[in-house]
Amino acid sequence: MSIILEHVTVSYGRGAKRFDAARNVTLSVAEGEAFGLVGESGSGKSTVLRAVAGLIAHAEGRVELAGEAMGKRRTTAQRKMVQMVFQDPYGSLHPNQTVDQTLSMPIAIHRLGDADRRVSAALEEVGLGPQHRFRYPHQLSGGQRQRIAIARALILEPRILLLDEPTSALDVSVQAEILNLLSRLRREHGLTMLMVSHDLAVIAHLCDRIAVMNRGEIVETTTAEALAAGNVSNPYTQQLLRSNRGFDPSGGELDLLGSDAIR
Amino acid sequence: MDSPLLRVRNLSVTYPGDDGDFRAVRNVSFTVGRERLGIVGESGSGKSTTGRAIMGLARPPARVQADELLLGEIDLRTQSERQLRRLRGKRMAMVLQDPKYSLDPVMRVGDQIAETHRTHLGSSKAEARAAALEMLQAVHIRDPERVYGMYPHQVSGGMGQRIMIAAMLIAGPELLIADEPTSALDVTVQTQVLSIMDELVRERGMGLILISHNLHLVSSFCDRVLVMYAGQIVEICDAGSLADAQHPYTRGLLAALPELGRKRGELPQLQRDPAWMDDIAAPLETRSRKLGA
Amino acid sequence: MQMRAWLLDPAPASRRQAQLGGWFRAWLAFRRNTLGMIGLGIVLLLIGVAAFAPLIVDPASALTQVLANRLQPSSWAHPFGTDELGRDILARVVFGARITLTIVVLVSLIVVPIGLAIGLPAGYFGGWIDAALMRFTDIFLAFPRLVLALAFAAALGPGIENAVIAIALTAWPPYARLARAETLTRRRSEFIQAAELQGASHLRIIATQIVPLCLPSVIIRLTLDMAGIILTAAGLGFLGLGAQPPSPEWGAMVSTGREVLLDQWWVATIPGLAIFVTSLGFNLLGDGLRDVSSGRG
């Protein structure tokens, strides 16, 4: 098993004000598998991803990556094992740094050496050329930025790649290119992937097994085939499936308004 | 189709730039009747700019030109800023992506709806309040009295967008332009908001322009769909027959969408043909009729 | 023209070209800002005058007392007249530019590092570190600036170095707050999280990710504050707590000139104008920089 989560809980606040962003999440992902977490905003899917990444120091429960239990603070070697691609290609690159600077930093941190060759190899891997190397993010398109973010994650040769809605900020045509790139990289590097998305079609395209999250908990774990066949048991999953098919002109949606959501 | 609510002929929007002008919208022509018209396209296709230009919200340095821009009998090209302000809300209204930015954060939401009623219909405070409460009910808000007194930060995204719709429709406009009205919302809430919009637009016999990047959404919600690419309309078709679209761009976009239950190892990537950028000579309205026949 | 194309190349071939290209674009944007360019012109003029002072005027005439020549009005020999000790006012104003520039540079060199050293950790780490550092800053902010500077200058004794220290000690708190605010808005950015994920240490993140984003607003703020710093320095000089006679500090010159203001108006007015123009120059430059940097997002 490449990723094992046991009873992972992330909570904020104390006492009566305690709020569990993720509650008692248990899942495991095999080496080389692509696993999807699907849910709406506030479902806790990104929280789980960040707990796996080691960005939430106060997460409770057990996180085991590539056979190694993670402590509260990750070592540099542990950091190298897991990398992440973020949702917003505009926010995940430093605005004042060229692609070259962005890609060189991880090499310098881990003292990998041979920076010049590694940077150009990483660019080539994600389908960009030397002409992109010294550009600033504002000189790149959204799809190109996301490619840089993927290159930055891969330059450390991680075993596990975490994807936080990697295509939701992109146009449909660019989304297809990035999804194809991710499939290819997974195949070529034998990467284990954990992907978060609200789009069932996107997640079913890339992932084999899928967990549906609602209000911080996993409500159902299923497969892409079962989802496609509509073969799901949980009512929330069924509702999500209906909504993903687009607008239903029969007007059955107004019945769902029972819960007037008020914050 | 009876006389159209909106008639647009050869609408262009140009932004002056350092290296020549940028033509965000190029010679766009279409009409909107009492129907739901979808405009789809990717970012930079000019779909939002088109909507803003109709509302008179494309401000300088943008230059708006059109051979015809008629809202009913009113020539929108000759309206002053003041006249346009009166038209907005009363005859045409716009719902934007995120209610967080469209609602005044320090004003109770009910008062915001009531104020629109008072400005446009000159009603008394009590009348406006009653109308606002009725409107809140119309967008399926269960407890209008309570919601009336809430501030924007106290309501969820879905309810915020319903309040926005209420505020936009209270003065009884005949045309509603919705620019990505549900993109900031969760999928399950999206369909609720769309249903409400659909219900109101039908009941009141309004015209609706839904601007979105989401092909599925537009094709399932609208009657007709305009596909925009690089500032031009490349295709007009019935929403139901989007699958039979002719233009390679539309077909490429549809093919590039991942689909549940159709697992493909590789998604076909859109190959952009530079020829799509060329000015389209024939007015599309006629071409689409040919297609429809 | 070839140089221009090289600088504006959208696909630079080296780090240096990318960096220079970025600066060149910023310069092109700044050049369109007329008021900012006027400010830049004034500041460059100040620097030029200070650097080449001995070439512009005779150094001796700034300090040599010629009592026979006291309080002369404008003439060919003394374009701005002479002061109460018969010294050439033009020469004194020109050499005064050196003092003003020294104060400006020294204050910047002290204020920016202190402000960053306090503001960055406060914003980055938050919690009790933030609370402690910010309360410390609040204490300094609680005193009126000129009064505090006066107290420091009085305690340290009159003199130009002590004036600089006094001004710097009172000028840093807003910079600490600014650096903290800038850090706070960036702290949760995804590129910071990405750096954390890559194993970057806190020091590396602050130095390579946050400082480059804070510096522009700090520099703009500093430029806008320059006018205030120059005025405070002049104020200390006017009150006798700054540069000591016979050094040609502008504030001190105004101070001595005020006794003869009604009859020999130029003695106080000329250095006063110098203070005014220099302050204005820095202000215009700062405004221009701010416009350009906010325009670029």
Side-chain angles (χ1 to χ4, degrees), chain A residues 64-77:
Chain A
E64 191 184 305
L65 302 176
E68 203 179 324
M70 296 290 129
K72 288 276 171 224
R73 293 234 169 270
R74 302 261 168 111
T75 63
T76 313

Side-chain angles (χ1 to χ4, degrees), chain B:
Chain B
M1 198 192 299
D2 49 355
S3 73
L5 292 172
L6 178 75
R7 189 190 285 278
V8 179
R9 197 153 59 83
N10 285 337
L11 171 73
S12 292
V13 182
T14 316
Y15 289 91
D18 281 345
D19 0 290
D21 290 352
F22 173 66
R23 296 161 72 200
V25 177
R26 304 191 269 161
N27 294 331
V28 164
S29 304
F30 61 92
T31 57
V32 187
R34 300 181 193 285
E35 60 173 336
R36 291 157 301 172
L37 176 75
I39 304 184
V40 279
E42 297 188 292
S43 49
S45 62
K47 55 186 193 303
S48 294
T49 313
T50 304
R52 280 209 304 277
I54 294 169
M55 292 290 292
L57 292 171
R59 298 248 155 75
R63 283 199 312 272
V64 180
Q65 288 161 318
D67 291 347
E68 208 173 41
L69 200 56
L70 286 175
L71 177 71
E73 297 309 311
I74 303 167
D75 188 349
L76 291 174
R77 294 175 306 166
T78 59
Q79 300 294 303
S80 68
E81 183 54 40
R82 211 187 137 104
Q83 288 168 314
L84 275 173
R85 228 177 358 243
R86 216 170 297 147
L87 285 175
R88 286 197 287 264
K90 182 126 201 238
R91 301 287 306 267
M92 55 182 179
M94 194 169 197
V95 175
L96 295 171
Q97 179 170 346
D98 203 331
K100 262 194 222 108
Y101 302 114
S102 322
L103 291 168
D104 184 344
V106 293
M107 197 169 165
R108 296 188 301 168
V109 294
D111 288 338
Q112 300 192 34
I113 304 173
E115 195 186 63
T116 318
H117 195 262
R118 291 184 62 192
T119 352
H120 288 296
L121 305 177
S123 52
S124 73
K125 260 192 174 166
E127 283 167 356
R129 186 184 154 86
L133 286 171
E134 198 179 316
M135 201 63 222
L136 282 172
Q137 195 125 41
V139 294
H140 293 259
I141 283 172
R142 299 246 155 161
D143 191 354
E145 289 279 354
R146 191 166 61 92
V147 174
Y148 189 100
M150 296 211 289
Y151 286 91
H153 69 270
Q154 294 171 306
V155 303
S156 67
M159 186 181 283
Q161 203 59 305
R162 283 193 260 157
I163 290 166
M164 241 358 257
I165 293 172
M168 285 301 136
L169 295 190
I170 194 162
E174 53 227 84
L175 179 69
L176 178 67
I177 301 179
D179 189 355
E180 304 271 9
T182 59
S183 304
L185 307 177
D186 280 327
V187 277
T188 48
V189 184
Q190 267 182 21
T191 44
Q192 295 168 9
V193 170
L194 285 173
S195 314
I196 289 165
M197 213 154 67
D198 182 49
E199 187 183 87
L200 291 172
V201 166
R202 271 174 205 276
E203 274 174 7
R204 296 164 175 237
M206 292 169 56
L208 170 72
I209 302 179
L210 177 72
I211 299 170
S212 174
H213 68 283
N214 191 329
L215 285 161
H216 277 323
L217 186 95
V218 168
S219 64
S220 58
F221 183 78
C222 296
D223 305 312
R224 282 194 309 149
V225 178
L226 310 183
V227 182
M228 286 190 74
Y229 179 77
Q232 300 189 97
I233 296 176
V234 295
E235 186 144 34
I236 301 181
C237 57
D238 288 339
S241 56
L242 193 66
D244 310 320
Q246 298 294 309
H247 197 278
Y249 173 67
T250 320
R251 296 168 69 96
L253 271 192
L254 283 167
L257 263 181
E259 247 177 282
L260 260 183
R262 193 164 148 231
K263 191 126 183 167
R264 293 167 286 183
E266 189 106 328
L267 292 166
Q269 294 181 7
L270 182 72
Q271 302 298 326
R272 286 161 204 272
D273 186 345
W276 300 347
M277 300 289 290
D278 297 346
D279 285 348
I280 295 170
L284 252 146
E285 202 77 29
T286 53
R287 231 182 59 173
S288 86
R289 236 170 254 148
K290 252 185 276 164
L291 286 177

Side-chain angles (χ1 to χ4, degrees), chain A residues 14 19 39 51 67 71 74 80 110 127 132 149 153 162 240 244 248-249 257:
Chain A
R14 260 179 222 174
F19 161 73
R74 302 261 168 111
K80 189 168 174 292
H110 294 270
H132 298 109
L162 307 174
L240 210 57
N244 260 279
D248 181 5
L257 283 169

Side-chain angles (χ1 to χ4, degrees), chain C residues 211-290:
Chain C
V211 167
L213 292 172
C214 288
L215 266 185
S217 47
V218 167
I219 289 172
I220 289 164
R221 169 87 203 229
L222 187 69
T223 320
L224 288 170
D225 267 4
M226 262 331 153
I229 291 171
I230 293 168
L231 289 174
T232 312
L236 289 176
F238 183 86
L239 295 169
L241 291 168
Q244 293 303 298
S247 89
E249 201 273 326
W250 292 345
M253 288 168 72
V254 175
S255 173
T256 52
R258 80 177 193 278
E259 288 155 26
V260 293
L261 188 62
L262 289 181
D263 302 316
Q264 285 88 22
W265 56 269
W266 58 88
V267 181
T269 308
I270 298 299
L273 269 178
I275 295 171
F276 166 74
V277 170
T278 311
S279 309
L280 183 73
F282 275 107
N283 244 328
L284 291 177
L285 177 64
D287 270 337
L289 288 175
R290 188 177 53 194

